[in-house]
Amino acid sequence: GQQVMQIPQYQHVQEGEDFTTYCNSSTTLSNIQWYKQRPGGHPVFLIQLVKSGEVKKQKRLTFQFGEAKKNSSLHITATQTTDVGTYFCAGNAGGTSYGKLTFGQGTILTVHP
Amino acid sequence: NAGVTQTPKFQVLKTGQSMTLQCAQDMNHEYMSWYRQDPGMGLRLIHYSVGAGITDQGEVPNGYNVSRSTTEDFPLRLLSAAPSQTSVYFCASSRTTANTEAFFGQGTRLTVV
């Protein structure tokens, strides 16, 4: 079945440093979504990418979707303590997997002040 | 707006007991799903529904049953609880399919002893 791998599993940064998490799918995706989960909380939607090579920005966050629609990345510039949490990518392969959203394992981000 | 409401928030079960985790949404979303979250494994899809009367299996369906008699409700039943089902369970809903933003409930932390 479809697999979505996410690296790194953990990332510790000093406040002000940049952070990147990478997501790779075993199959071509129809779209990819990114979620953030604060400690003790529930996942909250950040963004969806649909087009090959798409790049979207939300303030300090930059999201990219690969040309082959099999990989994606989330980059945070100048991290802040409010960025702490787990970041998940989630992909949908479409076709017979139309109703299934497969999540990566997540990257746990710790920001030291 | 309530969004997605899950009950209970916490539950302790003995091995072999059965129970139902409740999930309700008030956004008139067609698509609903159940995930379990275990450390280092991200969110794994248990069952999902693309509309009232329609359900399908996700990645880890064994030991769980679902039904979707109304658009609003999507309960998850544990038939005979096992320690391996100790996890945090999240219900989510989306407007149409897995290709749209998912709204998550607050989660149910289940311990099976």
Side-chain angles (χ1 to χ4, degrees), chain A residues 23-50:
Chain A
C23 185
N24 290 286
S25 171
S26 59
T27 59
T28 302
L29 301 171
S30 64
N31 69 80
I32 195 157
Q33 300 173 11
W34 284 91
Y35 291 80
K36 177 183 178 181
Q37 183 178 25
R38 295 183 185 275
H42 60 280
V44 175
F45 177 84
L46 293 175
I47 208 161
Q48 176 171 279
L49 305 173
V50 178

Side-chain angles (χ1 to χ4, degrees), chain A residues 11-103:
Chain A
Q11 186 74 61
H12 307 278
V13 300
Q14 289 293 131
E15 190 172 21
E17 291 181 339
D18 292 356
F19 159 76
T20 305
T21 175
Y22 300 91
C23 185
N24 290 286
S25 171
S26 59
T27 59
T28 302
L29 301 171
S30 64
N31 69 80
I32 195 157
Q33 300 173 11
W34 284 91
Y35 291 80
K36 177 183 178 181
Q37 183 178 25
R38 295 183 185 275
H42 60 280
V44 175
F45 177 84
L46 293 175
I47 208 161
Q48 176 171 279
L49 305 173
V50 178
K51 299 177 183 177
S52 169
E54 189 170 13
V55 178
K56 287 189 176 180
K57 293 189 177 184
Q58 289 179 348
K59 296 183 181 178
R60 295 178 294 104
L61 278 62
T62 302
F63 304 84
Q64 293 188 327
F65 201 10
E67 294 290 340
K69 300 184 74 174
K70 295 182 71 174
N71 60 293
S72 182
S73 65
L74 159 60
H75 179 81
I76 301 178
T77 303
T79 54
Q80 300 175 358
T81 54
T82 54
D83 295 324
V84 164
T86 302
Y87 292 84
F88 292 100
C89 61
N92 181 268
T96 55
S97 300
Y98 186 64
K100 299 180 181 180
L101 194 61
T102 301
F103 280 77

